[in-house]
Amino acid sequence: MIIIGFSNKTSKIIPRLVCRKFKHVAPIVPDKNKLVMYQFVHRKKIEKITLKYRDLEILKKYGWKFICIDPDVKNNFEDMRAFSCVQFTKKAIGIINPTIQTPWGLYKKINQFNMLNFF
């Protein structure tokens, strides 16, 4: 299971201008009693942030929205070479669709095929 987190806030200029509702996306992977968020910083830098389940509730209060999916793909998140947070997340969950370029587009695509509940 992978949790995909969508945020409406970012510090980068281009996503603020180009993206609609959501400005950033990050995959969150459960690992025993904790969660690991893979935060895309730039092309060769992925930050691992350790979260607890209660941290998702705190992030929700700050505008994050979460979707649970169950992809068949097992990936090494540190070895991915992506140009954006959307491309990184698409590779993490196994979506191959070049027309999806924004977090809002990814949200709509995942929402079409999502079988699990939202957080």
Side-chain angles (χ1 to χ4, degrees), residues 72-95:
D72 297 334
V73 183
K74 302 284 185 203
N75 284 322
N76 182 7
F77 289 96
E78 289 86 11
D79 195 29
M80 288 189 207
R81 290 190 169 97
F83 288 100
S84 68
C85 61
V86 176
Q87 188 179 14
F88 176 75
T89 305
K90 286 190 319 185
K91 285 183 178 185
I93 61 178
I95 292 178

Side-chain angles (χ1 to χ4, degrees), residues 3-6 19 22 24-27 67 69 84-97 99-114 118:
I3 303 167
I4 307 297
F6 295 90
C19 300
F22 296 118
H24 185 67
V25 61
I67 298 177
I69 62 169
S84 68
C85 61
V86 176
Q87 188 179 14
F88 176 75
T89 305
K90 286 190 319 185
K91 285 183 178 185
I93 61 178
I95 292 178
I96 302 170
N97 190 342
T99 61
I100 299 173
Q101 295 296 320
T102 63
W104 178 243
L106 182 62
Y107 177 81
K108 290 192 302 187
K109 187 68 162 182
I110 291 173
N111 201 17
Q112 284 178 349
F113 301 108
N114 189 19
F118 290 66

Side-chain angles (χ1 to χ4, degrees), residues 9-85:
K9 296 175 178 62
T10 186
S11 63
K12 307 217 184 263
I13 295 169
I14 293 174
R16 278 193 261 163
L17 298 173
V18 174
C19 300
R20 285 185 178 178
K21 185 174 179 179
F22 296 118
K23 312 290 191 231
H24 185 67
V25 61
I28 303 168
V29 180
D31 183 33
K32 297 179 183 171
N33 293 334
K34 61 181 179 176
L35 301 168
V36 179
M37 176 188 280
Y38 292 91
Q39 185 78 24
F40 180 84
V41 179
H42 56 79
R43 180 162 166 73
K44 294 183 181 178
K45 185 166 174 112
I46 306 297
E47 292 289 329
K48 290 172 38 174
I49 301 170
T50 304
L51 302 173
K52 296 179 182 170
Y53 285 98
R54 70 174 183 85
D55 294 335
L56 294 181
E57 294 297 324
I58 295 169
L59 288 173
K60 262 206 258 186
K61 291 179 184 177
Y62 286 100
W64 283 73
K65 187 157 185 110
F66 299 101
I67 298 177
C68 286
I69 62 169
D70 195 15
D72 297 334
V73 183
K74 302 284 185 203
N75 284 322
N76 182 7
F77 289 96
E78 289 86 11
D79 195 29
M80 288 189 207
R81 290 190 169 97
F83 288 100
S84 68
C85 61

